[in-house]
Amino acid sequence: MAGLREDTSGQLIILSGFVLCFSLVILTILVNQAMITGYHSSNAVLEFPKHQIRDITSQTRESCVYMTELARELNQSNSTESNYRLLFENYTEQMAMLYAGHGERITLDLSAMNLTSMAGNTSTLNTVWVNITYNNGMTYYSSEPEIIEVES
């Protein structure tokens, strides 16, 4: 028995085997975590509703141009700004109802506007600031303010 206790040559081999096995387990876990992280981040990019947000922004830009022209044509009893605010509130309600049918919530707020009256045939550049928020339950997006240039 005394000879087995003094013979320690195999302990180094067993210890190095344990260290190698432990480091392989750690390396396997790290590689697995990297693959899972890559999978989840690629799915998050695919689930981001960039087309819906882009559609809301472009539709709002186009509608602001039409609302500016219409507000100037309706400039009989109210000022251009008050006509524009009424048209914008109507547009906001319609867009909210349209996207609510798809389970999405959008909010359009008219932050500020710089509309000048037309003088002659010169074209002026007007500016409208709109706050756009989008929420579909998974993604919350806010563009505050979206600066829209309206040429008239």
Side-chain angles (χ1 to χ4, degrees):
M1 264 312 183
L4 289 176
R5 288 186 190 171
E6 293 175 3
D7 188 17
T8 59
S9 61
Q11 289 179 355
L12 188 59
I13 293 173
I14 292 174
L15 182 65
S16 63
F18 282 137
V19 169
L20 184 64
C21 191
F22 183 69
S23 55
L24 283 176
V25 167
I26 297 274
L27 186 64
T28 305
I29 290 172
L30 288 176
V31 169
N32 190 19
Q33 289 297 321
M35 289 187 327
I36 290 173
T37 302
Y39 173 76
H40 286 299
S41 65
S42 66
N43 277 346
V45 169
L46 293 176
E47 292 174 359
F48 187 74
K50 64 181 177 184
H51 296 296
Q52 288 89 344
I53 294 169
R54 190 179 300 148
D55 289 342
I56 293 168
T57 304
S58 66
Q59 182 65 38
T60 302
R61 286 181 181 274
E62 291 175 12
S63 296
C64 283
V65 172
Y66 298 136
M67 284 187 279
T68 304
E69 294 172 1
L70 189 58
R72 288 206 173 104
E73 289 177 9
L74 296 174
N75 196 8
Q76 290 117 9
S77 60
N78 296 335
S79 67
T80 304
E81 285 83 12
S82 64
N83 285 336
Y84 190 87
R85 287 188 190 280
L86 290 172
L87 290 169
F88 193 84
E89 287 174 10
N90 188 15
Y91 171 74
T92 301
E93 290 173 7
Q94 290 177 1
M95 288 292 283
M97 287 174 44
L98 180 69
Y99 279 89
H102 300 285
E104 301 163 341
R105 182 173 175 258
I106 66 165
T107 310
L108 303 169
D109 294 321
L110 186 61
S111 174
M113 70 177 104
N114 182 13
L115 299 177
T116 57
S117 59
M118 294 175 59
N121 290 334
T122 62
S123 66
T124 58
L125 190 63
N126 301 309
T127 309
V128 177
W129 289 269
V130 178
N131 297 333
I132 299 173
T133 56
Y134 172 86
N135 188 2
N136 66 353
M138 292 178 60
T139 303
Y140 178 81
Y141 172 81
S142 179
S143 173
E144 297 178 358
E146 183 77 28
I147 300 172
I148 301 172
E149 294 179 344
V150 181
E151 186 176 335
S152 56

